[in-house]
Amino acid sequence: QTLAGALQPTETGVALLVEPALMQRLVTAVAQEVERAAARGHQVALLTSARVRRPLRRLLERALPQLPVLAYGEIASEVEVEALGMVEVHDDAR
């Protein structure tokens, strides 16, 4: 909900405009979950809503260039998905 509320139109499309501290906490939290799952031998992807998928990918691509960011609707029905973790980052400004 925080990310959806931070969507803003820009010249290059929709972007997530969040405070730098929140952005850093988000990147760190995602990286930690990815590392945990990968250490257990899992192939990792970040699933999110279609509305924030592209802007979230752009936000994460420098720190996590190999991480696929997918919307739930992009997963084929025959693909088995196992939730390995959930990333929660709270906006301290709220």
Side-chain angles (χ1 to χ4, degrees), residues 1-7 17-26 87-94:
Q1 290 176 348
T2 299
L3 294 180
L7 292 173
L17 299 180
V18 295
E19 294 293 323
L22 177 60
M23 182 176 71
Q24 186 56 50
R25 288 195 311 272
L26 175 63
V87 175
E88 273 191 296
V89 177
H90 301 281
D91 186 355
D92 292 338
R94 292 183 170 202

Side-chain angles (χ1 to χ4, degrees), residues 19-85:
E19 294 293 323
L22 177 60
M23 182 176 71
Q24 186 56 50
R25 288 195 311 272
L26 175 63
V27 170
T28 299
V30 170
Q32 288 172 344
E33 285 296 330
V34 167
E35 187 176 311
R36 252 189 292 263
R40 293 182 293 195
H42 296 283
Q43 183 176 356
V44 181
L46 178 64
L47 295 181
T48 188
S49 70
R51 187 171 173 205
V52 300
R53 188 197 68 76
R54 189 172 305 238
L56 182 58
R57 175 69 203 128
R58 284 194 296 246
L59 186 130
L60 294 172
E61 67 189 352
R62 278 194 179 157
L64 301 163
Q66 302 302 318
L67 177 65
V69 179
L70 303 169
Y72 297 104
E74 294 176 313
I75 306 295
S77 60
E78 66 272 6
V79 173
E80 186 177 328
V81 176
E82 180 183 355
L84 300 173

Side-chain angles (χ1 to χ4, degrees), residues 2-17:
T2 299
L3 294 180
L7 292 173
Q8 297 291 322
T10 68
E11 293 177 6
T12 59
V14 177
L16 285 168
L17 299 180

